[in-house]
Amino acid sequence: MFVVKHFDFDIIVVGGGHAGVEAALAASRIGKTVALVTMDRARLALMSCNPAIGGLGKSHIVKEVDALGGLMGKAIDATGIQFRRLNLSRGPAVWSTRAQADRIAYNDFVCRFVNADKNISVIEDTAGAFLVENARAIGIETEEGEKIFSRAVIVCSGTFLGGLIHIGEKQIPAGRRGEKAAYKLSQSFRSLGFEVGRLKTGTPPRLDGRTIDFRRCEAQPGDEPVPFFSYTTIPYRLSQIPCHLTYTTDKTKEIILENLHRSPMFSGQIKSRGPRYCPSVEDKIFRFKDKPRHQIFLEPEGNGTDEIYPNGFSTSLPEDVQEKAIRTIIGLEEVQITKPGYAVEYDYCPSHQIKASLETKLVERLFLAGQINGTSGYEEAAGLGIMAGINAALAIDNEPPFILDRATAYIGVMIDDLITHSTTEPYRMFTSRAEYRLGLREDNARDRLFPYARKYNLIPPEDYSCFETLRNQTEATIKSLKRQSLPVSKLDGMARYFSKRETVTLAELLKIPGVSVADIRPYSNGIIDDNEFSAEVMERAAIKIKYDGYIQKQEREVERFRKMEDEVIPPSFSFENLTGLRNEAKEKFVRYRPNSLGQASRIEGVTTGDLAVLSIHIKKFRSSLRT
Amino acid sequence: MTRLRKLNSICPYFALPCHLQRHRISPHKRANQSIIRALIFPLTTAIIVPIRKESSIQLRNDDTIAAIITPPGDGGLGAIRIAGPESLKIVNRVFRPRDRRESALQPFHLYHGYIMDKNGAVIDEVTTVVMPEGRSYTGQLQAEIFCHGGQFVLRRILEEILRQNARPAEPGEFTRRAFLSGRIDLARAEAVADLVASKTTYAYNVARNNLLGRLSQEIDSVRNKIIDLLADIEAAVDYPEEALETAGNQTLETSLREIIGNLKNLIESYRSGRIIKEGFKIAITGRPNAGKSSLFNLLLNQNRAIVASIPGTTRDYLSEWIDLDGLAVQLTDTAGLRGKAGVIEKAGQASAQKIIEESDLVIWLVDITRKGWKKEIPADLKNLSNRIILLLYNKIDKAKRDVKASLKSIDFSVPSFPVSCLTGEGMTDFRRYLKTVTSAEFPDLTDRLVITSERHQVKLKNASRHFKKARLSLKKQLSPELTAFDLRQGLNEIDEITGRVYNEQVLDRIFSRFCIGK
């Protein structure tokens, strides 16, 4: 068989969105040469929808990407115009950072960063087909027929595969508004034997801020001190721009319900599923008729622009209805729409077709990341992109893949969800998806992922040693907080918690709900201000102390979980020949091909009885291997 | 997430139920255990922990098994069940329909014909029925053959079947297959074991209720309520910026209190459940020569003895079962407590103490012809810890008149009856009292759900503990992710009862209940 000897690049990344950029950068950090094939080199990591990064579950992913040396956290820190910490009234596991970006500056920052990377060549073109030999990807052919050879291919096609925009009755073939889509690649997927499905997502109209009466809306300022994302960011002074909160009215409801039949979602023009957690405004009003009003957040798109993104008003209604409806919102009575909202349908590959490494099961060294796996959101895309980049690089070197489990990272939760539940609606991260949530926090992303980042050379070595100091100081601080005690009589308000005691440790004080580091500072004898990274160390120490018992309990659960994950199903195990299994279960196993008993247990519709049967077969198979 | 998972207990194939491991196991218990072991398979994903490789439970379920399913002994009718992929083929080979035109056996039709041996000779005239996959007890292709009762005939037919491609079924294996094929959940599978083992009307009623899925329904309803609570909590956590109409702490706490109350009833029902299943345990004890054996024999003779053994019984002692108006009562004659004893007796006494502790009622026999018996009683009773005690003044036939007369005036604040185990004098009153005590333990069960498995009780207790913790954290206004953590842990425990896995249901519930979407 003819073997290609000449490769133009180590890796080709198809698509320059949030997934593609992280994939290219990660592969480059590992030392691979990368061709980043994109339709428009000036639109790398463009924010197609809302101009914001982070939010619940999502910010956790950003911090994880950051701890793996990724770009997203750095980019938003450099170009954010407002930063907030959500859920501060709740526990640290569900604290979450969210930032508004200057859309243009963000895109610009990423472009410069990628252009400066010597291992990455940005090629302006459209992929039309995969080059595959012996079920292994060896490159792509552009729509024009030019061939580029590589050792691995990563596809991050976003909404561009077979993209079709809907605005009312109008249908426009496009990936984003005004940008052409890619039509040939889906065919290439199909001819390789992939199942290709269709999903839908939507975006609201953009508004001219000069025509909005902000005085009638509620201002939402950013937080001080600014909660940045990246561990590499040196805090700087930022004059933050506020968002505004407003509401729909009875009139909005009336207009939308009257025109429901003109929405492609309701007329049947769009058949694919959209995300339930980010429904269009018509969907919200239709499904929750009793709700008198819905929130609309007015988010600025950046410095030096008056454009406003009305979060909560995603719609595919015809333009005239959009205009009529949006003008019923408080403060928006005179508003001018600059760009209409729309729904977009696109092709994706249902995610049972990838392995935990994001490599496809059908074609070796073909990796999929981002919306093509059925996810939604910049952060999810970035998380998948960075993993695909690392794993493509490892595959080229014949190294075992880098897989994060559910107890280590939100990225691990996401990928595991994808490979055990083929999504039929766009997948978004939530903290409630992570069963070991208490251990997967923003503050400990580095504790969880730096060892891997170091192993794969994703971060400068000095970052790791610097972190080690931080970690040691945290441990030392926890020890002294647990040791240092003081007489209860010295306490003021907190004394009531320890009425029967004479002395109490600082750690015990910290455990009281609502008590913060600042509250115990007066009693601390300087421990708190005594070290190099005092603020961060103290926060980390306080979190660990507050969660103490819970984290221990959870660790026991994690141990059990890992035991199941360690029950590996040998790759040569044949699911097709399983006997004594319910048909439904067998079909599921054949479809998902789980690689451990634990993974099998999470496949939807699989019962404990099925697992028992599977487990017997695995045992038998193993003992047959031995003999 | 269930997720999130318990493994300490259970799993036959992987490990033995912990509560079974703790005890020394009697042969009877062992028989029952093999059923439970076969049933209590990996309960949730959580608990599959491969431990024992050599376990006999590594039974495959893709071959064909057969067994006689009617009880041993001669009867009018006998039945044999065949389950597995080869069932139909086997029936076709051994069965000849009387009406030769019947070429293919239709499911759920009863056919009349003959079982033939390999030489073509008729073994017996039978009827047979074939059940298709998914619609049989085991969920597999299955056939049943009804022949004349009588062990010889049954065994001959079974032999013919086993000569084909079938193997003898292990105890409980049909039910195990029903569980593996998803026909019944774990709680119901366990109920089958109970049903088969039930010796009295009460035990039968309870097992039947559970088999009909009443326990599973109750568990599911608790589960649903918890998922609802979680949906409220999680929605608020994951959507801090949305003005969601989630229930406040007060409402959550109220519903949690209700749930805990429901669980409490279930947990407490185990006391009745255990008594129903294992019988009401009465220990007959007293000083040497107080007449314990006489009483034991007297009670035995006056009641119908239950011949078959009841699981969970110990046989170290002279112990028999009687059916007291539909209630299984286990009488145990202990070695004499107190008195000077050698090493052997001392060992006996230690376990006598244990018997007493496990009893539901202790009968303390006193020989009133003995000198100084009155003085000994307070100390003796004190030794019996906090059991329900009944004092029997024995040998009134031989006692002096003044002693007999004085019995009415003494009071040790426990019920007491003067009897003679030899003549039966005084037994009527005593027995009437016995019935009152025992039936108090057996309330009207027609609409009451009773759990009969220690495993279920342990799980329910654990769940309840987690829910109480969650409730406390609501009260103390702790951070909601901690409440959610405890709720999820409790949910896992609950799911282990029915053998179910926790999954994305919380999110589904969130989306259907709240208008969400920033």
Side-chain angles (χ1 to χ4, degrees):
Chain A
M1 185 55 85
F2 171 73
V3 178
V4 178
K5 288 269 156 55
H6 166 76
F7 290 108
D8 302 299
F9 298 94
D10 289 326
I11 294 168
I12 296 173
V13 176
V14 178
H18 302 274
V21 164
E22 294 292 354
L25 290 170
S28 155
R29 280 196 295 279
I30 300 180
K32 305 297 171 204
T33 58
V34 180
L36 182 58
V37 179
T38 172
M39 291 179 185
D40 186 343
R41 62 182 314 137
R43 286 173 182 260
L44 296 183
L46 194 71
M47 298 182 154
S48 322
C49 197
N50 60 330
I53 297 282
L56 264 290
K58 289 163 169 276
S59 69
H60 295 77
I61 296 179
V62 179
K63 297 252 176 179
E64 289 171 4
V65 168
D66 193 56
L68 292 172
L71 182 64
M72 183 168 262
K74 299 182 181 93
I76 184 64
D77 284 352
T79 63
I81 53 174
Q82 189 212 63
F83 291 80
R84 288 176 63 204
R85 273 184 119 176
L86 310 177
N87 258 345
L88 273 184
S89 64
R90 304 188 168 104
V94 295
W95 288 349
S96 168
T97 314
R98 188 173 190 275
Q100 295 300 135
D102 180 319
R103 184 199 300 273
I104 293 170
Y106 187 94
N107 161 234
D108 197 45
F109 179 93
V110 174
C111 284
R112 281 186 217 196
F113 200 92
V114 171
N115 285 332
D117 192 308
K118 294 202 172 53
N119 286 337
I120 301 178
S121 314
V122 181
I123 296 175
E124 267 191 356
D125 217 321
T126 307
F130 299 109
L131 301 174
V132 175
E133 193 178 75
N134 295 337
R136 172 182 279 196
I138 54 161
I140 60 160
E141 190 178 293
T142 66
E143 285 197 346
E144 305 295 314
E146 193 193 330
K147 288 178 179 169
I148 311 172
F149 291 98
S150 67
R151 292 182 166 85
V153 176
I154 304 172
V155 182
C156 315
S157 50
T159 60
F160 279 75
L161 276 195
L164 181 64
I165 282 179
H166 299 258
I167 306 177
E169 298 84 355
K170 257 198 308 194
Q171 295 183 38
I172 312 153
R176 262 191 302 250
R177 193 166 173 273
E179 294 178 53
K180 81 178 182 68
Y183 296 97
K184 288 188 177 163
L185 205 59
S186 302
Q187 197 42 54
S188 187
F189 270 119
R190 282 194 193 92
S191 60
L192 286 169
F194 283 92
E195 185 185 323
V196 177
R198 217 143 159 77
L199 288 177
K200 171 251 157 189
T201 186
T203 193
R206 307 300 195 270
L207 312 175
D208 184 343
R210 291 168 301 184
T211 57
I212 295 173
D213 184 359
F214 286 109
R215 287 167 308 176
R216 304 186 52 208
C217 310
E218 233 172 87
Q220 291 189 312
D223 288 343
E224 295 290 347
V226 181
F228 289 108
F229 279 91
S230 177
Y231 75 91
T232 60
T233 300
I234 297 161
Y236 63 94
R237 255 187 58 81
L238 175 68
S239 93
Q240 304 195 61
I241 301 177
C243 292
H244 287 84
L245 172 60
T246 183
Y247 296 93
T248 62
T249 59
D250 285 346
K251 195 83 186 133
T252 324
K253 190 159 134 185
E254 197 180 296
I255 290 171
I256 285 178
L257 288 178
E258 246 168 48
N259 288 284
L260 215 51
H261 61 283
R262 297 185 64 196
S263 164
M265 291 298 291
F266 286 85
S267 67
Q269 189 176 314
I270 296 179
K271 289 193 179 68
S272 47
R273 293 264 300 269
R276 279 181 299 175
Y277 44 82
C278 189
S280 60
V281 66
E282 52 263 38
D283 205 23
K284 282 198 266 194
I285 286 178
F286 176 75
R287 279 178 49 213
F288 294 91
K289 289 199 181 77
D290 302 339
K291 248 193 133 184
R293 60 180 198 172
H294 294 270
Q295 290 180 320
I296 303 291
F297 293 89
L298 301 174
E299 303 178 356
E301 294 244 333
N303 287 311
T305 171
D306 290 310
E307 204 154 61
I308 294 290
Y309 176 96
N311 197 334
F313 202 81
S314 162
T315 180
S316 58
L317 285 163
E319 284 173 65
D320 58 309
V321 183
Q322 288 188 21
E323 190 174 273
K324 245 166 88 184
I326 204 155
R327 287 186 178 166
T328 61
I329 292 172
I330 300 163
L332 304 186
E333 291 81 0
E334 308 280 319
V335 79
Q336 290 293 328
I337 290 181
T338 54
K339 295 172 191 131
Y342 62 82
V344 58
E345 279 188 291
Y346 55 95
D347 290 340
Y348 80 114
C349 292
S351 51
H352 63 273
Q353 303 176 93
I354 50 169
K355 304 181 207 169
S357 62
L358 303 181
E359 189 177 27
T360 65
K361 289 172 183 166
L362 278 174
V363 180
E364 216 184 323
R365 298 208 182 163
L366 176 63
F367 294 77
L368 307 183
Q371 277 165 304
I372 190 158
N373 289 332
T375 60
S376 133
Y378 313 141
E379 304 81 358
E380 287 84 351
L384 293 173
I386 200 164
M387 295 304 282
I390 296 168
N391 278 322
L394 291 173
I396 290 172
D397 297 337
N398 291 315
E399 295 285 337
F402 170 39
I403 289 163
L404 290 166
D405 72 20
R406 300 184 73 89
T408 308
Y410 272 88
I411 293 176
V413 172
M414 168 167 61
I415 294 176
D416 188 69
D417 279 346
L418 289 176
I419 61 177
T420 55
H421 298 73
S422 207
T423 50
T424 51
E425 68 173 327
Y427 176 97
R428 188 214 131 139
M429 185 47 76
F430 298 101
T431 68
S432 47
R433 290 196 195 273
E435 48 279 77
Y436 311 112
R437 171 165 68 185
L438 300 184
L440 307 183
R441 303 183 306 271
E442 282 194 0
D443 71 273
N444 70 354
R446 272 182 289 166
D447 301 63
R448 294 182 277 123
L449 298 174
F450 253 27
Y452 301 105
R454 186 173 62 156
K455 179 177 168 194
Y456 298 116
N457 292 320
L458 299 167
I459 48 160
E462 58 270 26
D463 286 17
Y464 190 81
S465 47
C466 186
F467 164 71
E468 272 184 324
T469 316
L470 174 77
R471 200 178 52 193
N472 295 340
Q473 286 188 0
T474 307
E475 290 310 315
T477 306
I478 291 173
K479 263 193 200 146
S480 32
L481 287 172
K482 282 186 175 168
R483 209 173 31 224
Q484 185 120 340
S485 62
L486 66 153
V488 172
S489 57
K490 272 199 178 176
L491 299 169
D492 307 323
M494 290 179 279
R496 67 195 164 94
Y497 292 98
F498 305 98
S499 50
K500 287 177 190 147
R501 303 258 303 269
E502 284 190 359
T503 62
V504 62
T505 65
L506 289 176
E508 282 169 318
L509 289 181
L510 260 182
K511 277 195 167 183
I512 302 171
V515 168
S516 69
V517 175
D519 296 326
I520 63 161
R521 178 165 270 127
Y523 310 108
S524 78
N525 268 345
I527 304 180
I528 290 178
D529 307 293
D530 213 16
N531 52 57
E532 197 181 332
F533 308 99
S534 65
E536 195 178 1
V537 165
M538 269 320 293
E539 184 176 305
R540 288 163 53 93
I543 289 170
K544 272 195 152 172
I545 287 172
K546 276 191 180 291
Y547 269 158
D548 214 11
Y550 284 95
I551 286 180
Q552 274 160 16
K553 260 197 234 167
Q554 185 163 297
E555 268 163 13
R556 284 198 289 276
E557 282 189 5
V558 169
E559 243 169 68
R560 285 171 206 147
F561 155 77
R562 292 219 164 108
K563 259 186 198 153
M564 283 274 285
E565 298 304 293
D566 290 344
E567 272 294 282
V568 174
I569 302 175
S572 52
F573 182 80
S574 159
F575 291 98
E576 281 79 1
N577 301 328
L578 289 182
T579 48
L581 206 57
R582 291 184 311 133
N583 279 335
E584 190 201 342
K586 189 172 157 182
E587 277 164 24
K588 289 272 164 66
F589 288 148
V590 167
R591 186 174 160 91
Y592 289 96
R593 314 198 79 79
N595 57 21
S596 70
L597 208 54
Q599 214 183 78
S601 75
R602 290 186 294 274
I603 296 173
E604 52 194 338
V606 166
T607 67
T608 41
D610 302 333
L611 290 174
V613 177
L614 176 64
S615 167
I616 295 167
H617 281 286
I618 295 169
K619 289 262 140 70
K620 265 195 220 145
F621 181 77
R622 279 218 207 98
S623 59
S624 76
L625 283 184
R626 256 178 254 129
T627 49
Chain B
M1 106 92 291
T2 329
R3 329 237 73 207
L4 42 185
R5 320 202 140 180
K6 271 269 156 207
L7 46 89
N8 57 343
S9 50
I10 341 183
C11 285
Y13 154 67
F14 305 100
L16 241 106
C18 61
H19 65 280
L20 293 180
Q21 285 173 338
R22 274 207 305 275
H23 303 298
R24 201 172 50 76
I25 298 158
S26 70
H28 311 89
K29 202 159 179 176
R30 215 169 279 140
N32 188 45
Q33 215 177 65
S34 73
I35 299 174
I36 295 180
R37 211 195 283 177
L39 295 177
I40 309 179
F41 227 66
L43 296 187
T44 72
T45 56
I47 45 177
I48 303 186
V49 180
I51 290 175
R52 21 184 84 195
K53 276 181 208 145
E54 75 294 351
S55 168
S56 64
I57 297 309
Q58 267 200 38
L59 292 175
R60 41 196 295 186
N61 71 332
D62 53 357
D63 56 355
T64 304
I65 53 173
I68 299 168
I69 53 174
T70 39
D74 295 340
L77 203 65
I80 288 172
R81 178 178 287 161
I82 314 170
E86 299 288 311
S87 310
L88 183 60
K89 268 188 214 158
I90 292 173
V91 171
N92 278 330
R93 261 180 244 141
V94 299
F95 174 77
R96 199 187 74 202
R98 205 173 70 122
D99 184 347
R100 300 260 181 153
R101 283 166 306 178
E102 301 281 3
S103 50
L105 302 183
Q106 299 296 315
F108 291 116
H109 282 59
L110 197 64
Y111 292 95
H112 181 203
Y114 309 94
I115 298 292
M116 320 292 290
D117 71 10
K118 59 180 174 194
N119 303 321
V122 171
I123 299 177
D124 193 14
E125 186 183 355
V126 302
T127 53
T128 187
V129 61
V130 176
M131 291 158 240
E133 209 177 308
R135 291 180 64 197
S136 68
Y137 177 72
T138 54
Q140 297 186 318
L141 185 60
Q142 187 178 311
E144 274 159 28
I145 294 170
F146 310 99
C147 60
H148 292 104
Q151 291 305 297
F152 181 76
V153 177
L154 277 163
R155 244 178 275 138
R156 280 286 292 118
I157 297 176
L158 186 61
E159 259 169 47
E160 270 326 298
I161 291 166
L162 297 179
R163 207 193 296 284
Q164 310 296 330
N165 204 4
R167 68 168 166 83
E170 298 284 323
E173 198 173 0
F174 292 116
T175 304
R176 176 177 173 273
R177 289 192 171 193
F179 171 66
L180 289 180
S181 66
R183 276 252 309 116
I184 52 174
D185 69 25
L186 204 57
R188 291 168 75 170
E190 288 169 289
V192 174
D194 284 352
L195 189 70
V196 172
S198 52
K199 300 287 183 277
T200 61
T201 329
Y202 268 116
Y204 164 76
N205 280 340
V206 170
R208 187 202 49 201
N209 275 348
N210 289 351
L211 181 63
L212 292 177
R214 285 212 31 211
L215 176 62
S216 307
Q217 281 164 17
E218 180 71 18
I219 296 291
D220 276 353
S221 112
V222 169
R223 183 174 200 280
N224 268 323
K225 286 178 196 155
I226 295 291
I227 291 179
D228 272 341
L229 295 184
L230 272 170
D232 272 89
I233 295 169
E234 298 288 14
V237 165
D238 268 335
Y239 288 93
E241 295 193 290
E242 296 270 340
L244 297 176
E245 285 148 15
T246 54
N249 273 11
Q250 192 60 50
T251 323
L252 293 176
E253 205 208 305
T254 312
S255 7
L256 203 48
R257 196 174 54 217
E258 262 170 47
I259 293 167
I260 294 168
N262 288 351
L263 290 185
K264 189 166 171 250
N265 288 339
L266 270 184
I267 292 167
E268 284 174 355
S269 79
Y270 179 62
R271 183 171 155 69
S272 307
R274 187 190 57 74
I275 290 174
I276 290 161
K277 194 170 130 185
E278 296 181 3
F280 188 87
K281 292 181 182 163
I282 298 178
I284 301 176
T285 184
R287 292 184 171 242
N289 301 321
K292 297 186 291 288
S293 301
S294 314
L295 178 65
F296 182 79
N297 290 328
L298 189 64
L299 285 172
L300 212 59
N301 292 336
Q302 286 180 351
N303 294 282
R304 189 169 66 82
I306 298 168
V307 182
S309 64
I310 291 184
T313 65
T314 164
R315 287 280 160 145
D316 286 355
Y317 285 80
L318 198 51
S319 174
E320 288 297 341
W321 289 90
I322 56 171
D323 183 338
L324 198 73
D325 300 332
L327 305 180
V329 171
Q330 184 193 29
L331 285 178
T332 307
D333 181 3
T334 63
L337 287 180
R338 294 258 155 159
K340 288 170 187 130
V343 179
I344 296 171
E345 282 82 1
K346 266 191 183 151
Q349 283 172 17
S351 34
Q353 200 59 49
K354 200 169 165 255
I355 298 272
I356 288 168
E357 268 160 31
E358 286 171 359
S359 296
D360 300 300
L361 175 72
V362 178
I363 296 176
W364 185 260
L365 268 174
V366 180
D367 176 0
I368 54 170
T369 60
R370 234 169 78 109
K371 268 186 189 167
W373 60 272
K374 251 183 231 176
K375 279 178 212 154
E376 294 164 357
I377 290 179
D380 287 345
L381 293 187
K382 218 175 149 191
N383 264 332
L384 296 176
S385 52
N386 297 319
R387 304 283 91 193
I388 306 176
I389 300 164
L390 183 60
L391 261 180
L392 283 190
Y393 303 123
N394 193 17
K395 308 193 185 175
I396 48 169
D397 53 324
K398 287 181 190 155
K400 289 179 191 152
R401 192 161 297 171
D402 59 320
V403 175
K404 253 165 94 176
S406 74
L407 288 176
K408 275 179 193 147
S409 57
I410 49 175
D411 181 13
F412 294 103
S413 37
V414 291
S416 55
F417 298 91
V419 294
S420 163
C421 296
L422 205 63
T423 63
E425 197 185 335
M427 286 302 280
T428 323
D429 284 349
F430 157 61
R431 282 182 49 103
R432 194 178 300 135
Y433 176 79
L434 208 57
K435 258 181 218 165
T436 336
V437 175
T438 46
S439 44
E441 297 293 337
F442 298 86
D444 181 16
L445 293 173
T446 31
D447 330 297
R448 254 194 78 192
L449 191 54
V450 170
I451 58 165
T452 53
S453 144
E454 187 183 348
R455 183 181 84 82
H456 294 170
Q457 198 209 17
V458 169
K459 296 289 154 207
L460 290 169
K461 274 185 178 165
N462 290 347
S464 178
R465 204 180 56 236
H466 291 304
F467 295 152
K468 279 178 189 158
K469 228 182 141 216
R471 194 179 150 211
L472 195 68
S473 65
L474 283 171
K475 257 192 190 160
K476 282 166 118 184
Q477 313 250 348
L478 294 190
S479 188
E481 79 278 8
L482 300 179
T483 312
F485 179 80
D486 286 320
L487 287 181
R488 281 176 189 243
Q489 288 216 317
L491 203 55
N492 290 340
E493 298 284 347
I494 295 256
D495 279 347
E496 285 186 17
I497 295 174
T498 49
R500 183 174 191 159
V501 187
Y502 173 77
N503 51 32
E504 285 220 327
Q505 295 179 26
V506 177
L507 279 175
D508 283 345
R509 201 83 46 115
I510 292 176
F511 295 136
S512 62
R513 282 186 34 187
F514 305 111
C515 174
I516 263 162
K518 184 183 167 177

